[in-house]
Structure formats: structure tokens, C-alpha cells
Amino acid sequence: MSDSNSPSRIERRKLETYARTLLDAARSEDRVYEDLVPLRAQADASPEVLSVMSAMANAGDLDHLPEVLELYREMVDGDRDIIGVHVTTAIPLDDELRDLIKNKCESDLESKVFLIEHVDPSIIGGVVLATSDHRRDASVRMQLESARKIMTRSKQNTEV
């Protein structure tokens, strides 16, 4: 029984050919694992990003992608009608927490915001918020690091 979302046998072979081509190229350059990050980013890219990248590839301009990214960032930073807030959590946000964070950021920044979500299990828990101008780290990892510094300082002071 076939899932309606699963590719046909012919489609699967085509997809395997793409994957094998990527893997062979990555192996030849000794970047198998390094290529997973940009490939993941491409897989998550919006249709407009893929469209622009396709146009750049067709025009032979992909080597200018870093400059396009930098110009894009400058334009976004210059647009103060809406502010991008990077939100890093240990696990993905649910809708309720997403709304809470967005509303709090809009209130604090007195501006519309859009959230750029990141998941980083190494922060253990809590949240890290960052804009182009500010960073607030309320992660468990940061709290543990602060506690360690205080304890180390206290120990050094008692030894003197």
C-alpha cells in the first residue's frame, strides 16, 4: 500500500540520483557532513528564495550570493517598520509560546516584529533573543555559566 505523499518508483530513482550526485561530489571534496547544513537550509528555503537562487544560477551569479545576502541584511536592518528577532530555544516553540514572545517583543521594541526561530539543545532551556542591536540571553546554559563564575570568584576570595 502506497502513501499518497511518497514518490513513485521512477520519482524515487530520480531523487536518489540527485542525492547520490550530491554525496559523490561532497565525498570528492571531503565535505560530506559540512554539506548537510546548506542542504538543510535549501530544503527549508521559501519559494521566493529558491526562485532568486535559480535565477542567479541561470545567470551564472551564484558566486555573488554572499554579497546579495549582505545587501539583503542591510535592507532588512534599514527597514524599521518591522524588526527581525532571532529566538533560540532548546526545543521548537509551540504556538502559545511563539505568540507570547512575539507580543512581548513588540511591546518592548514598540514595533512590529517577525520571529526567526532557531533550535539549539545546548542552551538546555530558557530563551535567547537577539536583534541587530541587542541580545538577551535567558538560557539555562548562561545561568549555569554565571553561577560557575560567581562560585569560582567566591572560592578565590576565601582563599586570599
Side-chain angles (χ1 to χ4, degrees):
M1 194 164 175
S2 172
D3 181 357
S4 63
N5 290 331
S6 64
S8 68
R9 204 173 61 202
I10 294 171
E11 184 71 16
R12 176 146 175 93
R13 280 190 181 157
K14 183 169 84 170
L15 298 176
E16 286 174 352
T17 300
Y18 291 145
R20 175 66 53 202
T21 301
L22 284 168
L23 181 59
D24 289 347
R27 280 184 179 151
S28 72
E29 298 294 324
D30 197 27
R31 325 186 275 245
V32 172
Y33 293 102
E34 292 87 348
D35 281 359
L36 285 174
V37 173
L39 187 57
R40 174 85 250 157
Q42 290 298 317
D44 291 338
S46 66
E48 60 271 15
V49 169
L50 294 175
S51 176
V52 168
M53 291 188 66
S54 177
M56 290 179 70
N58 290 338
D61 289 333
L62 278 179
D63 57 327
H64 295 291
L65 192 56
E67 292 98 341
V68 170
L69 175 60
E70 185 57 35
L71 288 168
Y72 182 85
R73 281 188 178 146
E74 288 173 14
M75 290 175 187
V76 168
D77 289 344
D79 182 5
R80 292 298 169 188
D81 292 338
I82 188 163
I83 298 173
V85 177
H86 291 266
V87 180
T88 304
T89 53
I91 59 173
L93 294 174
D94 61 27
D95 290 338
E96 184 179 343
L97 189 53
R98 183 178 296 110
D99 289 342
L100 180 72
I101 291 170
K102 183 176 181 190
N103 291 336
K104 175 67 172 146
C105 289
E106 286 180 342
S107 174
D108 289 353
L109 297 171
E110 298 178 344
S111 179
K112 288 290 211 182
V113 303
F114 68 94
L115 302 181
I116 305 160
E117 299 177 29
H118 307 276
V119 175
D120 180 0
S122 74
I123 71 167
I124 304 168
V127 64
V128 179
L129 301 172
T131 66
S132 60
D133 300 331
H134 302 292
R135 178 180 167 90
R136 291 185 187 163
D137 190 334
S139 66
V140 172
R141 178 180 62 195
M142 182 57 68
Q143 292 171 16
L144 290 171
E145 288 176 15
S146 295
R148 182 184 52 79
K149 287 178 186 175
I150 290 169
M151 298 302 283
T152 303
R153 225 178 296 138
S154 295
K155 184 179 177 183
Q156 291 171 348
N157 291 339
T158 60
E159 292 176 354
V160 176

